[in-house]
Amino acid sequence: MSHERIKLSGRIVHVFAHRFVVQTAKGAVLADLTPHGADLVKLRIGADVNLEGEMKPSELKVTRFVCDDDSVTIEHKKKPDHAHHEPADPTTAVDAARAAGFEPTGTPRRKPKHFELEGRRNGQDYELHVELDGRIRKARLVGDDHEAA
């Protein structure tokens, strides 16, 4: 998903750790420097700033911060791509469910560190979270907030 790269100018009106609100001529914008970026600049309410960055749905990820003729470039690290999980066999999850007395009723869905699948036991439907090694981490009654063993 690509997001729009923008430039904006305004005055800092609120500061929340490494995030802050800039009041611009078009309204307020929430901006994010990252904790590392916040170490590089001094955020202060009332400061006039020029920002560049990538506009996300909820905030501006600031890549350039200019205040009082000081310019700082900020890098935002990308989140890891979980599409490349370590290899794991979904039949391990199915076998673990059966060994615990559940009859799997769906196909295991891969998550970064476990599989999720539906199963039935004693006439009740469960959502199972099964570790990659076959240990059942969680068995939750569907439509209920209680966990079962």
Side-chain angles (χ1 to χ4, degrees), residues 54-69:
E54 188 176 0
M55 194 67 209
K56 302 285 186 169
S58 63
E59 65 189 8
L60 174 67
K61 297 288 187 181
V62 178
T63 56
R64 187 163 178 258
F65 180 95
V66 180
C67 182
D68 299 330
D69 296 323

Side-chain angles (χ1 to χ4, degrees), residues 16-69:
F16 316 97
H18 59 89
R19 289 187 173 91
F20 58 104
V21 176
V22 175
Q23 187 64 46
T24 72
K26 294 182 179 181
V29 175
L30 178 63
D32 179 11
L33 290 172
T34 75
H36 173 70
D39 291 339
L40 302 175
V41 301
K42 180 172 172 56
L43 291 174
R44 61 183 199 286
I45 294 174
D48 291 318
V49 295
N50 294 309
L51 307 174
E52 293 180 27
E54 188 176 0
M55 194 67 209
K56 302 285 186 169
S58 63
E59 65 189 8
L60 174 67
K61 297 288 187 181
V62 178
T63 56
R64 187 163 178 258
F65 180 95
V66 180
C67 182
D68 299 330
D69 296 323

